[in-house]
């Protein structure tokens, strides 16, 4: 009996929802078929008084009927809305601009610095820094660049006016390498560290030279045999591979920097042509990146380590140059121009 | 170079070889001799010009069928001569473009050239006549050795002793080619004639001069150099002068040993190598008069300084066309001494460049023989004497090299024999230590850069080529590589600032006196550069603001509103120790849009309050600048005295925020839409609450009351807030300012007050009592009136 009744309600209800004309009618139908006082609801409430056998049959039947009627109600409401709405009248012009929210931009050098720090941090490197107004000893002598040596010509230097009380001479650091010494003075190998920072060269500015730019230093030292030229190649290729998101080959060429021995100039395979030769690399297939080498034992000695006990590599190059490469910035002077039309692109 | 090294490689192959194993190659180019279409011919027939007395018409054979008619005015032209003919189309180094022309009715198919027209000297008296055995029809440039390629090689600063010469580079190329060089080792036979008539040479300063070798040559003739010598100098970028100077220059290029020729008749007595006397003066070859420093090393005779050692000769003892007898100096000076003199007098010369890199004291002995032979061949003359002061002869030294260390440093296997081979090719003597994997390596004195094992490892590594080293991942212990709190804070705060509307600027670390005084900063607290680019970049910044102000102002030309920050170091002089100090600062700038209604100050303050909340910097106090005691903030004089605030947290000063002092606003051209701030970043970091401890929300409902009080003008919101905290305790749990209304002689402040207790619901009466306390206290302390 009840089964038949449920079937009838369901059938009637579905038909009624299908032909409903307006929202008032719909509300009435909702009350009649799905309301608290509806017949179906009474049946559901009465389930508890039935025998277990009846319950097993009627319970699911009644619940399914309620679900189907609810669905019919929703689709009827949807249909009514479709018919009764002038969509164009309420349309938004979505092509009009959004209301400006405050939004600033990090300097591209900062972005690159963060990228570099993330890669090296993931490889277990510390991030250190040191003073920009540096003692001559840290900037030159401790790095095996003695006074009156032609190697000093490699870096044009800003000197601070002599102090009256202190015997030390001070320079604006010409590279981040003095931090190598400062770090070694307070740490014992094995360690690995990078030093990003601002450096200064007393040279005239043009599209590719700026007296203030940013560098970073990478220093990894272990006991003898732990950190070699092969390790350096691995770390350098890993870094550039992650930084540029593609496989990069490192090429080392002999060079001379007083603080390393052996010393290298190092290049990476051209990012545009991969060693084939193109206008970006001036047909050479390689891009010049910077200097590197195995830390000179004299530098270890200056930092207070015994000669011959440790072995490591040091490596420095321009964050500025990386930024220019990555973002294809044609003129180095844009970086410190302070022009927001430049900064706001990053 | 090909001749010296015996290499068969093309210039491009050589460049690649050098680049991979030795030196950077900056460029390769064909030498621009400008002698295309210039060939050698024979004057077959010579006739008088029909229409001109001084001209003659030559028929010049330049091959079997090529015979040219050329009009020539030179007096020395004669039949049978081998001459240099410039054909139409040639553009000569002397600046003449050759065309076929008609000269007084006779067609001339080119020009017979003089040495000057060919760029080979000053001789313009007549045409250049070549020896009779020269074959005709060939290019003159090829004959003269000018058809050559130039490879520009950057010799590293530590290789000045052995590689800064043609022979040195040839030695290097040969080694890279796997051969020993072709040029012979010097003979040992003595040069000194029986009766030594050279002036005596005394090294008075043994720290400045390691060896002084001098040759006396008599009865020489100063004249032009032979063509081959001129050509070699020209290709190397030097201008031929005369045979003596050219020979010394040539030998310098060839061997790396600078020399200087004195006119011996202008030397009085013995030669002394000594430091200059105080106020001693010298007139140099280039005409400059120099007052010398007692640190300068000079070559002197009995009377005066003849030359600035290793840098430049003096005018008084210079050779001239009449010179008959010369004294040729071939010496080794101390690099740093020469470098200081060069720098002191700004005299960079080819000689000083080599000396300051440190030369081999054994090189003069090897070069003297060649010098004597060249001068006697090309300037006639006889060697009549030699002096060689060499107090401490340098001998080759020996380094012990362990192959294990080679492998450790390079990170690759290295067979012993391969190391031996590489070192031997470089001219090092290698002995195996029996039973051990190590070598004893004897280094020739020309390689002062090879002093220890690591120097040798570099030689071995580069000879094999670093490209053969395979990258190897290191085996490392696990360490937590977390940036320091300072770095983390800087990064997070920068990212926060960028996300909330501030663009990051990076500006120079220095400004000039003009900006310093415009910014009302005390000049004496600044560190100063001894050698600035220009006066506008002479002072190290005490505050980030002056440079930031300039950049912000420039940007206002194309934007109405902006927010900007810079996070960098400032510099100051530590007054006690008188040494430079640095501090990290955060400077902010905000310029409100023109149609803005709110005060720019409060917009920036709001943004800063959000920053403080984000980074858990609590207990912030804002004190009007005018009332603040000395803040210790260098930028204070830049700010408006009554429209700025010192910000502190828990009693420690963080920074300053506000409008510019009216004088700065005028100097830097800003109005009050622009507000600035500068913070000490270490203080900000220190003010952070490291760990937040959870506090349960109020469980029992607050009793809310609104209060509106009017105060005299001088009472600040901060004063009233302090009053609320004092008088409202303990029941007043929170309050919120919702209205400020300024009127006539006073201002009204309206607050929402939230009364409550943590453990039970507060009754209305209890709240009213607390409210009344506040009102009473406000009346008493600030003569406030309660408003309805």
């Amino acid at each position: 009996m009840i089964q038949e009744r449920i079937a009838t309600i369901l059938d009637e209800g579905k038909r009624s929802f299908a032909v409903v004309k307006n929202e008032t009618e719909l509300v009435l139908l909702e009350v009649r078929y799905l309301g608290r006082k509806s017949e179906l609801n009474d049946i559901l409430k009465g389930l508890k008084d039935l025998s277990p056998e009846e319950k097993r049959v009627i319970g699911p039947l009644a619940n399914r009927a309620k679900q189907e009627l609810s669905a019919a109600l929703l689709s009827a409401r949807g249909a009514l809305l479709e018919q009764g709405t002038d969509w164009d009248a309420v349309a938004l012009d979505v092509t009009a601009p959004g209301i400006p929210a405050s939004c600033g931009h990090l300097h591209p050098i900062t972005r690159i610095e963060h990228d570099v720090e993330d890669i090296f941090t993931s490889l277990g490197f510390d991030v250190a820094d040191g003073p920009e107004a540096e003692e001559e000893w840290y900037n030159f002598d401790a790095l095996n660049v003695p006074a009156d040596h032609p190697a000093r010509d490699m870096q044009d230097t800003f000197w601070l006016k002599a102090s009256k009380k202190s015997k030390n001479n001070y320079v604006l650091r010409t590279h981040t390498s003095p931090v190598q010494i400062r770090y070694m003075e307070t740490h014992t190998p094995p360690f690995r560290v990078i030093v990003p920072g601002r450096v200064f060269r007393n040279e005239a500015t043009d599209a590719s030279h700026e007296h203030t730019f940013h560098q970073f230093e990478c220093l990894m030292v272990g006991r003898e045999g732990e950190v070699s030229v092969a390790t350096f190649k691995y770390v350098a290729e890993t870094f550039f591979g992650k930084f540029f998101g593609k496989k990069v080959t490192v090429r080392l060429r002999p060079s001379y920097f007083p603080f390393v021995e052996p010393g290298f100039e190092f290049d990476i395979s051209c990012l545009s042509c991969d060693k084939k030769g193109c206008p970006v690399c001036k047909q050479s297939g390689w891009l010049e990146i910077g200097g590197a080498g195995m830390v000179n034992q004299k530098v270890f000695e200056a930092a207070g380590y015994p000669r011959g006990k440790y072995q490591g590599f040091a490596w420095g190059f321009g964050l500025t140059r990386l930024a220019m490469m990555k973002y294809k910035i044609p003129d180095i002077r844009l970086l410190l121009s302070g022009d927001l039309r430049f900064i706001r692109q990053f | 170079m090909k001749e010296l090294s015996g290499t068969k490689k093309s210039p491009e192959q050589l460049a690649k070889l050098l680049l991979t194993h030795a030196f950077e190659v900056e460029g390769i180019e064909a030498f621009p001799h400008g002698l295309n279409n210039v060939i050698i011919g024979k004057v077959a027939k010579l006739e008088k010009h029909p229409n001109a007395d001084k001209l003659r018409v030559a028929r010049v054979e330049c091959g079997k069928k090529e015979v040219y008619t050329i009009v020539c005015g030179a007096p020395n032209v004669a039949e049978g001569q081998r001459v240099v003919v410039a054909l139409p189309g040639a553009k000569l180094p002397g600046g003449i473009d050759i065309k076929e022309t008609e000269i007084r009715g006779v067609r001339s198919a080119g020009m017979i050239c003089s040495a000057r027209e060919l760029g080979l000297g000053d001789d313009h008296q007549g045409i250049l006549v070549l020896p009779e055995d020269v074959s005709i029809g060939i290019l003159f440039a090829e004959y003269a050795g000018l058809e050559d390629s130039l490879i520009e090689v950057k010799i590293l600063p530590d290789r000045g002793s052995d590689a800064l010469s043609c022979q040195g580079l040839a030695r290097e190329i040969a080694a890279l080619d796997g051969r020993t060089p072709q040029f012979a080792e010097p003979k040992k036979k003595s040069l000194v004639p029986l009766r030594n008539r050279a002036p005596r040479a005394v090294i008075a300063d043994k720290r400045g001069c390691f060896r002084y070798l001098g040759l006396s040559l008599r009865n020489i003739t100063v004249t032009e150099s032979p063509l081959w010598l001129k050509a070699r100098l020209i290709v190397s970028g030097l201008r031929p002068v005369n045979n003596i100077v050219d020979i010394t220059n040539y030998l310098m290029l060839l061997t790396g040993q600078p020399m200087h020729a004195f006119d011996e008749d202008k030397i009085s007595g013995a030669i002394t190598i000594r430091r200059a006397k105080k106020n001693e003066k010298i007139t140099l070859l280039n005409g400059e008069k120099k007052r010398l420093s007692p640190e300068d090393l000079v070559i002197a005779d009995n009377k005066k300084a003849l030359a600035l050692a290793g840098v430049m000769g003096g005018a008084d003892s210079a050779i001239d066309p009449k010179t008959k007898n010369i004294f040729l100096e071939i010496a080794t000076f101390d690099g740093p001494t020469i470098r200081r003199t060069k720098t002191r007098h700004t005299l960079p010369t080819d000689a000083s460049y080599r000396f300051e890199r440190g030369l081999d004291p054994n090189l003069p002995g090897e070069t003297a023989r060649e010098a004597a032979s060249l001068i006697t061949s090309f300037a006639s003359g006889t060697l009549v004497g030699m002096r060689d002061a060499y107090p401490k002869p340098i001998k080759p030294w020996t380094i012990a090299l362990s192959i294990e260390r080679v492998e450790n440093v390079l990170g690759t296997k290295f067979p012993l024999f391969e190391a031996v081979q590489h070192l031997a090719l470089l001219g090092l003597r290698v002995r195996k230590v029996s039973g051990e994997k190590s070598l004893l390596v004897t280094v020739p004195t020309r390689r002062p850069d090879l002093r220890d094992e690591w120097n040798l490892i570099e030689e071995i590594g580069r000879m094999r080529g670093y490209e053969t080293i395979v990258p190897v991942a290191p085996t490392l212990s696990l360490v937590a590589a977390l940036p320091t709190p300072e770095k983390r804070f800087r990064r997070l705060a920068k990212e926060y600032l960028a996300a909330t509307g501030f663009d990051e600027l990076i500006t120079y670390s220095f400004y000039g006196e003009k900006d310093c005084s415009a910014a009302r900063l005390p000049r004496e607290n600044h560190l100063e550069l001894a050698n600035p680019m220009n006066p506008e970049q002479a002072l190290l910044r005490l505050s980030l603001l002056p440079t930031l102000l300039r950049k912000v102002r420039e940007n206002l030309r194309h934007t109405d509103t902006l927010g900007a920050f810079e996070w960098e170091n400032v510099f100051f002089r530590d007054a006690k120790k008188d040494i430079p100090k640095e501090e990290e600062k955060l400077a902010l700038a905000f310029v409100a849009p023109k149609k803005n209604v709110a005060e720019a100050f409060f917009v920036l303050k709001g943004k800063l309050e959000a920053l403080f909340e984000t980074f858990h910097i609590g207990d912030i106090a804002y004190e009007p600048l005018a009332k603040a005691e000395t803040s210790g903030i260098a930028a204070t004089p830049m700010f408006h005295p009554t429209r700025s605030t010192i910000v502190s947290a828990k009693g420690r000063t963080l920074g300053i925020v506000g409008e510019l002092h009216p004088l700065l606003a005028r100097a830097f051209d800003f109005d009050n839409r622009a507000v600035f701030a500068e913070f000490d970043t270490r203080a900000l970091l220190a003010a952070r609450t490291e760990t937040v401890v959870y506090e349960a929300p109020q469980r029992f409902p607050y009793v809310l009351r609104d209060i509106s009080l009017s105060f005299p003008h001088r009472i600040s919101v901060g004063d009233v807030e302090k009053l609320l905290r004092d008088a409202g305790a303990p029941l007043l749990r929170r309050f919120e300012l919702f209205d400020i209304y300024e009127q006539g002689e006073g201002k009204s402040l309206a607050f929402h007050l939230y009364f409550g207790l943590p453990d039970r619901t507060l009754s209305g009466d209890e709240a009213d009592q607390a409210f009344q306390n506040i009102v009473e206290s406000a009346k008493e302390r600030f003569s406030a009136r309660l408003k309805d």
Side-chain angles (χ1 to χ4, degrees), chain B residues 720-762:
Chain B
V720 178
E721 286 178 342
K722 186 169 185 321
L723 171 111
L724 290 178
R725 271 191 292 270
D726 294 347
L731 297 186
L732 182 66
R733 315 279 293 176
R734 273 176 57 203
F735 52 82
E736 252 164 47
L737 176 69
F738 68 90
D739 192 32
I740 305 180
Y741 178 61
E742 307 258 355
Q743 50 165 32
E745 69 280 12
K747 66 176 152 197
S748 303
L749 302 178
F751 292 89
H752 297 303
L753 304 178
Y754 298 79
F755 297 100
L757 277 173
D759 50 357
R760 65 174 171 82
T761 306
L762 201 65

Side-chain angles (χ1 to χ4, degrees), chain B residues 413-425:
Chain B
K413 285 281 159 213
F414 229 102
L416 192 72
F417 75 86
E418 193 193 335
V420 172
Q421 196 181 21
H422 290 321
L423 294 171
L425 277 171

Side-chain angles (χ1 to χ4, degrees), chain B residues 19 32 56 80 124 180 194 217 224 260 277 330 409 444 520 530 542 548 575 609 645 697 730 732 756 762:
Chain B
L19 187 75
R56 280 180 284 178
H124 197 48
T180 39
L194 284 175
L217 293 130
E224 273 196 53
H260 180 69
K277 293 174 188 145
I330 312 175
V409 171
R520 307 176 72 238
L542 203 56
L548 190 65
E609 282 168 332
T645 175
L732 182 66
L762 201 65

Side-chain angles (χ1 to χ4, degrees), chain A residues 36-274:
Chain A
R36 258 188 302 139
K37 292 181 179 162
S38 63
E39 191 180 351
L40 185 60
N41 207 37
D42 287 343
I43 294 172
L44 282 164
K45 274 195 283 186
L47 281 176
K48 62 180 192 302
D49 304 324
L50 298 179
S51 70
E53 294 77 31
E54 282 174 316
K55 232 189 258 179
R56 216 177 359 241
V57 179
I58 294 169
L61 211 59
N63 275 315
R64 197 172 327 116
K66 186 171 180 183
Q67 277 164 22
E68 282 185 36
L69 286 169
S70 300
L73 167 73
L74 267 182
S75 81
R77 180 162 283 147
L80 277 182
L81 186 73
E82 269 311 320
Q83 290 157 25
T85 312
D86 181 354
W87 293 100
D88 287 339
V90 299
L92 286 178
D93 179 359
V94 294
T95 65
I99 291 168
S102 287
C103 156
H105 306 79
L106 286 179
H107 195 283
I109 293 286
T110 300
R111 289 197 178 283
I112 296 291
E113 185 186 326
H114 291 173
D115 289 350
V116 168
E117 284 174 1
D118 286 348
I119 297 170
F120 278 104
T121 306
S122 79
L123 292 172
F125 281 75
D126 235 351
V127 183
D129 56 12
E132 291 168 15
E134 181 59 281
E135 285 176 38
E136 178 186 14
W137 188 82
Y138 281 102
N139 195 72
F140 289 124
D141 303 70
L143 293 165
N144 192 29
V145 189
D148 303 313
H149 192 276
R152 287 224 177 164
D153 290 344
M154 295 166 96
Q155 298 174 348
D156 293 320
T157 311
F158 283 116
W159 293 86
L160 264 63
K161 276 203 174 160
S163 134
K164 287 184 192 76
K165 287 185 200 157
S166 163
K167 268 183 277 170
N168 293 330
N169 287 320
Y170 286 84
V171 301
L172 289 183
R173 65 175 178 194
T174 54
H175 45 190
T176 42
S177 308
V179 187
Q180 284 186 22
I181 307 289
R182 290 185 176 275
Y183 190 85
M184 287 195 269
E185 283 174 342
T186 51
H187 294 75
T188 309
F191 60 71
R192 39 198 195 274
V193 61
I194 61 161
V195 186
R198 176 185 282 231
V199 299
F200 307 83
R201 299 279 169 90
N202 193 348
E203 56 184 24
T205 53
D206 61 29
S208 46
H209 296 88
E210 170 65 275
H211 56 59
T212 302
F213 59 99
H214 292 75
Q215 248 192 0
F216 87 85
E217 190 80 7
C218 175
L219 177 69
M220 179 166 179
V221 180
R223 280 172 293 270
E224 212 202 344
E226 272 184 341
V227 182
S228 66
V229 176
T231 322
F232 166 65
K233 275 188 137 178
Y234 175 83
V235 171
E237 286 189 358
T238 305
F239 167 74
F240 284 109
K242 292 287 173 210
F243 185 83
F244 289 111
K246 57 169 81 166
K247 186 171 162 32
V248 172
T249 313
V250 164
R251 177 175 81 169
L252 305 182
R253 292 183 281 114
S255 189
Y256 171 71
F257 303 99
F259 27 96
V260 287
E261 185 77 13
F264 325 115
E265 196 71 56
F266 80 94
D267 307 334
I268 58 169
S269 47
C270 177
L271 301 161
S272 309
C273 67
D274 192 24

Side-chain angles (χ1 to χ4, degrees), chain A residues 102-107 109-110 113-115 117-118 120-121 123-134 147-154 157-166 170 172 190 192 196 198 200-205 210-212 214 220 224-235 237 251-256 260-265 288 294 296-298 307-311 335-341 343-344, chain B residues 18-24 156-158 335-336 339-340 342 356-357 404-405 407-412 449 452 454-458 462 466-479 481-484 487 490-491 494-495 497-510 527-533 537 540-541 551 554-555 558-559 561-566 568-569 571 573 575-580 582 584 607 682:
Chain A
S102 287
C103 156
H105 306 79
L106 286 179
H107 195 283
I109 293 286
T110 300
E113 185 186 326
H114 291 173
D115 289 350
E117 284 174 1
D118 286 348
F120 278 104
T121 306
L123 292 172
F125 281 75
D126 235 351
V127 183
D129 56 12
E132 291 168 15
E134 181 59 281
D148 303 313
H149 192 276
R152 287 224 177 164
D153 290 344
M154 295 166 96
T157 311
F158 283 116
W159 293 86
L160 264 63
K161 276 203 174 160
S163 134
K164 287 184 192 76
K165 287 185 200 157
S166 163
Y170 286 84
L172 289 183
R192 39 198 195 274
R198 176 185 282 231
F200 307 83
R201 299 279 169 90
N202 193 348
E203 56 184 24
T205 53
E210 170 65 275
H211 56 59
T212 302
H214 292 75
M220 179 166 179
E224 212 202 344
E226 272 184 341
V227 182
S228 66
V229 176
T231 322
F232 166 65
K233 275 188 137 178
Y234 175 83
V235 171
E237 286 189 358
R251 177 175 81 169
L252 305 182
R253 292 183 281 114
S255 189
Y256 171 71
V260 287
E261 185 77 13
F264 325 115
E265 196 71 56
E288 275 186 51
M294 300 302 288
N296 196 314
Q297 294 295 325
K298 289 180 189 156
R307 186 177 177 82
K309 183 172 180 187
Y310 299 116
Q311 194 176 297
L335 289 159
L336 269 71
S337 66
D339 191 334
L340 292 178
R341 291 169 298 184
I343 302 290
R344 284 176 177 170
Chain B
L18 284 170
L19 187 75
T20 323
H21 298 283
F23 299 115
E24 200 166 321
L156 298 166
D158 63 333
R339 183 178 158 82
R340 278 194 294 270
K342 172 210 85 173
E356 68 178 292
R357 277 156 176 74
E404 193 191 349
R405 180 154 271 163
E407 293 182 334
N408 275 342
V409 171
L410 297 177
T412 184
D449 59 314
D452 62 26
W454 290 271
N455 301 145
L456 296 178
I457 293 169
E458 172 163 75
R462 72 179 178 92
Y466 296 121
E467 74 278 2
T468 60
I469 296 177
V470 180
V472 176
T475 327
L476 299 165
S477 50
L478 191 65
V479 291
L482 211 60
T484 58
K487 293 248 175 218
R490 179 166 75 173
R491 175 156 179 180
K494 274 188 174 188
E495 277 168 353
L497 286 167
T500 53
F502 293 93
D503 291 317
E504 185 187 12
L505 293 182
I506 299 182
T507 65
Y508 289 149
S509 299
F510 16 69
L527 291 165
E528 198 173 346
L529 289 181
N531 57 339
M533 298 284 299
Q537 298 181 345
L540 289 188
R541 56 184 173 179
K551 293 301 177 190
E554 282 169 25
N555 278 294
H558 43 79
T559 182
T561 173
L562 66 84
F565 76 95
E566 180 167 15
E568 283 293 346
N569 286 355
F571 304 82
R573 189 178 287 285
K576 222 192 257 160
K577 293 192 208 140
D578 195 20
I579 54 169
E582 285 166 55
E584 204 181 67
K607 286 170 179 273
R682 293 288 184 269

